[in-house]
Amino acid sequence: MARSYRWFALRALAPMAVSLTLTSLPLLADSSSEPSEALDVPPLSLETDVSLPPPAFYRAEALAQDEATQHVQLPPLVVGPSFIELFLPQESTVTDDAEGAEIPSVASTPAEPIVPPPLFPLEITLDWYLNPQHAALLVAREKGMFVRRGLDVSLVSPADPNVPAKLLAAGRTDLALGRQPQLHLLVNKGLPLIRVATLIGTPMAGLLLRAPLADDNGELNLEGVHLGYTDLDGRDILLSRLLANVLTLEKGLDLVDARDVHYSARDTIREGVVDGVMINHRYLLPRQLLDEGVASHFLGVEEHGIPSHDGLILMANRDKLNGNKREAIRALVAAIEEATLWILNHPEQAWELLSASEPALDDPATREAWSQVFPRLSLQPAAVDHGRYHRFEQYLLEAGVLETTSPLERLAIDLGAITP
């Protein structure tokens, strides 16, 4: 910067120096004294051409000198968008270079699928082959009501109607279907069975006889007839007490020949092997026999001195009704209640569902039985009618079928009740 100032000073003083030199030349010429020998200065002439650069020359050179002496430090170059570009909306463009560039890939594995918890398995051994009385179980299975409650329910038809309760007592099945009279008889014999749900709350048993078995007065003549039964409670309770009431004899079976027909009730009646059978499916077998040309006569047990009772119940092993199994059975009963309500609201749709899931049910006799069975389904399968169980226990004691009574808590339980 100091050098620039000197240039500006010379620029200002140069005209003055030239002017002084030119004006002083005559004085030097007129001087009588000789020039000093110490100064070896050539003489100046008026014709000497003194030329100076123009003013713009000094300004340009001064600026050049200033720029040469100044150091301007710039920030380092940053690769990428500018500060402003970061906040501006960007349009996605694909260039040829980008297309040809190698795109890095990241190896990833799909997320592990969400696995639902395992279903709790429950096996139910039926009392008979599948029929409309099992509608609540079938509907709950087909509509996923069991699965939604975490249950894997399997329905098993027994090889013998007397087997389900024995399997349950031995712990070889989780649940079994039966009847209230059967429960009273087996608990009195010491089997650890207990009722946990009611599927049908009205009696379904009765004596089916070939017609006619009446005398000239219209009264039934059962002396010397051959009768059959399908299970022990049908023989020891229902058939025995019904015959005693009808024949007004203390031991009704003394006058008849009773035999176990197992699953062959219809065949033995049709073929004349027996004259009648104590059955537990009153709305199915009469129509089946009629379609085969065999007329019949039915005697309902509740109309001949036997107290009202639950016609189809779900039994569990009392010794194994704890922990997870207890909760699983409670969920099962809730599903049965949901299915029963749906059936009563949609009986025609329920029948279509049953016949589609079990084609063996789709016949005229079963369809006619359906209209009689579904109104008898229990709307509150978990609830226990304590008075009903107490009255039936007392009836069996007074009739001599039982020698002692069993406490109610050993006969039935309401899993839906809130315990204090």
Side-chain angles (χ1 to χ4, degrees):
M1 293 296 291
R3 186 175 180 182
S4 298
Y5 291 140
R6 288 196 299 271
W7 278 99
F8 281 109
L10 290 174
R11 175 178 173 274
L13 296 177
M16 295 176 61
V18 172
S19 176
L20 291 175
T21 303
L22 293 178
T23 55
S24 61
L25 289 178
L27 296 177
L28 294 175
D30 294 339
S31 175
S32 59
S33 63
E34 297 179 358
S36 176
E37 295 180 359
L39 295 174
D40 189 9
V41 179
L44 294 177
S45 174
L46 294 175
E47 297 178 356
T48 301
D49 184 11
V50 180
S51 61
L52 296 176
F57 169 80
Y58 301 104
R59 289 197 299 268
E61 188 169 351
L63 291 175
Q65 292 295 330
D66 289 343
E67 291 176 358
T69 57
Q70 292 181 359
H71 299 279
V72 180
Q73 187 174 4
L74 298 176
L77 179 63
V78 178
V79 179
S82 65
F83 176 78
I84 297 178
E85 290 174 342
L86 290 174
F87 296 93
L88 294 178
Q90 300 293 325
E91 294 185 1
S92 176
T93 59
V94 178
T95 62
D96 295 339
D97 293 339
E99 292 179 354
E102 182 179 355
I103 301 175
S105 60
V106 178
S108 61
T109 58
E112 292 293 333
I114 300 177
V115 180
L119 300 177
F120 192 97
L122 284 178
E123 181 181 272
I124 302 177
T125 303
L126 305 178
D127 60 319
W128 197 260
Y129 53 83
L130 283 172
N131 62 78
Q133 294 184 183
H134 306 139
L137 295 173
L138 292 173
V139 168
R141 182 191 70 184
E142 295 302 317
K143 293 187 71 65
M145 298 173 183
F146 290 144
V147 174
R148 287 199 297 272
R149 290 170 170 83
L151 303 177
D152 179 16
V153 178
S154 56
L155 306 178
V156 180
S157 296
D160 186 318
N162 290 307
V163 167
K166 296 178 182 179
L167 293 176
L168 182 60
R172 297 175 59 185
T173 187
D174 298 307
L175 298 160
L177 291 183
R179 297 156 300 280
Q180 183 182 341
Q182 177 189 29
L183 176 68
H184 288 272
L185 184 64
L186 296 179
V187 170
N188 185 261
K189 291 182 178 182
L191 274 65
L193 307 182
I194 190 169
R195 171 261 179 217
V196 294
T198 298
L199 275 67
I200 296 181
T202 65
M204 299 295 287
L207 181 60
L208 183 65
L209 300 169
R210 287 177 61 94
L213 288 177
D215 55 21
D216 297 337
N217 298 324
E219 296 179 357
L220 290 176
N221 182 10
L222 299 179
E223 293 185 12
V225 299
H226 301 281
L227 300 179
Y229 58 89
T230 59
D231 40 60
L232 294 179
D233 59 301
R235 182 195 68 181
D236 296 343
I237 298 178
L238 300 178
L239 183 57
S240 175
R241 297 316 304 161
L242 184 143
L243 292 177
N245 295 334
V246 170
L247 301 176
T248 65
L249 296 174
E250 184 178 354
K251 298 293 183 179
L253 284 179
D254 291 345
L255 300 179
V256 297
D257 177 24
R259 57 182 298 179
D260 189 352
V261 298
H262 300 286
Y263 280 121
S264 303
R266 183 174 64 178
D267 295 338
T268 55
I269 292 179
R270 183 186 62 247
E271 297 170 3
V273 177
V274 295
D275 300 305
V277 176
M278 177 61 65
I279 62 173
N280 297 301
H281 307 86
R282 64 173 65 181
Y283 296 111
L284 185 60
L285 191 55
R287 170 60 191 271
Q288 291 175 336
L289 288 173
L290 186 62
D291 290 344
E292 296 175 355
V294 179
S296 62
H297 184 77
F298 182 79
L299 301 178
V301 294
E302 72 278 10
E303 296 178 355
H304 294 84
I306 298 178
S308 182
H309 55 270
D310 294 344
L312 186 64
I313 61 174
L314 188 64
M315 298 180 295
N317 189 314
R318 186 173 58 247
D319 295 340
K320 300 181 181 298
L321 190 61
N322 49 40
N324 293 335
K325 176 170 284 189
R326 186 186 186 95
E327 294 302 317
I329 295 176
R330 178 182 284 115
L332 173 81
V333 176
I336 293 174
E337 181 176 357
E338 181 184 358
T340 302
L341 181 60
W342 186 84
I343 291 171
L344 293 180
N345 289 337
H346 311 281
E348 290 299 324
Q349 296 180 33
W351 167 252
E352 293 175 0
L353 180 62
L354 295 179
S355 59
S357 61
E358 298 292 338
L361 300 179
D362 194 9
D363 60 70
T366 308
R367 184 177 184 85
E368 181 179 308
W370 171 247
S371 62
Q372 301 292 329
V373 171
F374 84 81
R376 296 175 177 266
L377 298 177
S378 177
L379 280 174
Q380 295 179 305
V384 179
D385 188 337
H386 295 81
R388 169 178 284 189
Y389 278 77
H390 174 74
R391 289 189 297 270
F392 203 89
E393 186 81 358
Q394 289 298 123
Y395 167 78
L396 296 179
L397 180 65
E398 295 171 2
V401 178
L402 304 180
E403 295 181 357
T404 59
T405 59
S406 300
L408 180 61
E409 57 270 17
R410 295 180 64 86
L411 291 170
I413 186 175
D414 183 355
L415 292 176
I418 300 178
T419 57

